[in-house]
Amino acid sequence: RHGDLIFSSGMTPRRGGILIHTGRMRAADPVEAHHDAVVLATLNALTAVQGCLAEGERIAVVVQLTVFLNSEPEFSAHSKVADFASATLIEQLGPDCIGSRAAIGVASLPAQAPVEITIVASVVR
């Protein structure tokens, strides 16, 4: 945390410390196949940010949402998969809660996670 900004570390789709989803995103996969992994990673990032809130504070806006996707070179549905993260945040925080977003394909992620989410959130009292 720095002032009114909270930065999450990269969060993967873990539950109770155990990686629930693994593997690369492939061009042949239906986009919906990645929904659960992205939602879980997004909720983990949001929980981490909320854990830094002081009493009486709330998240005003997610200033930056970054979605890293462990994807093969032919994969091109980055934005569609990142839409699951955006929808999750909107469901949790309300409309107009996201400032900017990046969806980035990478060659690998820790422990072969399919997705890693980072959030920068602005806080208000």
Side-chain angles (χ1 to χ4, degrees):
R1 180 169 181 160
H2 181 76
D4 291 337
L5 293 177
I6 299 175
F7 300 79
S8 80
S9 295
M11 296 293 175
T12 55
R14 293 180 185 270
R15 187 174 292 122
I18 298 169
L19 190 62
I20 303 298
H21 302 275
T22 60
R24 297 187 88 188
M25 296 188 183
R26 305 194 186 291
D29 295 342
V31 173
E32 295 76 21
H34 310 298
H35 175 269
D36 293 349
V38 173
V39 169
L40 182 55
T42 304
L43 290 173
N44 288 342
L46 183 59
T47 298
V49 168
Q50 289 170 327
C52 294
L53 294 173
E55 189 172 331
E57 290 183 327
R58 66 176 177 79
I59 296 171
V61 67
V62 172
V63 178
Q64 174 67 47
L65 166 63
T66 306
V67 181
F68 297 96
L69 305 173
N70 180 0
S71 58
E72 67 181 10
E74 298 78 19
F75 184 80
S76 63
H78 301 77
S79 292
K80 290 180 182 180
V81 173
D83 286 345
F84 298 135
S86 296
T88 301
L89 291 173
I90 290 167
E91 180 180 294
Q92 297 293 313
L93 302 173
D96 303 322
C97 68
I98 302 169
S100 67
R101 180 184 87 173
I104 303 165
V106 297
S108 68
L109 288 171
Q112 288 303 311
V115 60
E116 184 173 314
I117 305 284
T118 63
I119 293 174
V120 178
S122 175
V123 175
V124 296
R125 286 200 171 272

